[in-house]
Amino acid sequence: STSEDGRSGMRWAMTGSAVCPNQTWAPCLNCSKDDWMGPFNSKDRFAEVDQLTFIKTNQCFVGSRPGIESWMSLIFIFVALVVMSYFQRETETNFDLLQQTVSDYSV
């Protein structure tokens, strides 16, 4: 049973990640070996057979939902930090007003 996004058979903890187990080899006419030999490139995603060049491509569909969820989470965290900062300032001000000092008792 294959799901429409190509992620069937994955553990539930991995379904929200960028992991894509559905990968196939595709011909790449404009690719060169130098494009795939940098320090951040994966050498196992490039292959040459005779005069043909192939690259491994992901076949999983990534919709806009994960991006929207991440954006909404970021907005929530930002608003929560602003609200917490406001209440922390208010609590600090109240604490400072309640604290008695020597000048409160001087004549």
Side-chain angles (χ1 to χ4, degrees):
S1 71
T2 303
S3 64
E4 65 183 53
D5 65 353
R7 294 176 179 236
S8 63
M10 289 181 63
R11 289 184 287 164
W12 69 271
M14 299 299 285
T15 57
S17 69
V19 173
C20 179
N22 188 7
Q23 300 172 347
T24 59
W25 289 97
C28 183
L29 302 176
N30 299 326
C31 296
S32 69
K33 189 172 188 174
D34 295 335
D35 296 336
W36 293 87
M37 294 300 135
F40 300 109
N41 294 330
S42 180
K43 295 169 185 65
D44 64 340
R45 299 183 65 84
F46 176 83
E48 289 179 311
V49 178
D50 296 329
Q51 299 295 327
L52 299 174
T53 304
F54 293 92
I55 59 171
K56 195 180 281 189
T57 60
N58 294 338
Q59 301 300 316
C60 295
F61 172 74
V62 179
S64 60
R65 183 177 176 185
I68 291 171
E69 290 172 351
S70 295
W71 186 76
M72 295 295 283
S73 298
L74 181 66
I75 296 297
F76 174 77
I77 290 171
F78 177 74
V79 169
L81 286 173
V82 168
V83 170
M84 287 177 60
S85 175
Y86 171 77
F87 281 118
Q88 182 177 4
R89 256 188 250 120
E90 289 295 315
T91 303
E92 183 179 351
T93 303
N94 289 338
F95 180 75
D96 189 43
L97 291 174
L98 292 175
Q99 192 169 9
Q100 297 178 352
T101 61
V102 174
S103 61
D104 293 337
Y105 295 102
S106 63
V107 181

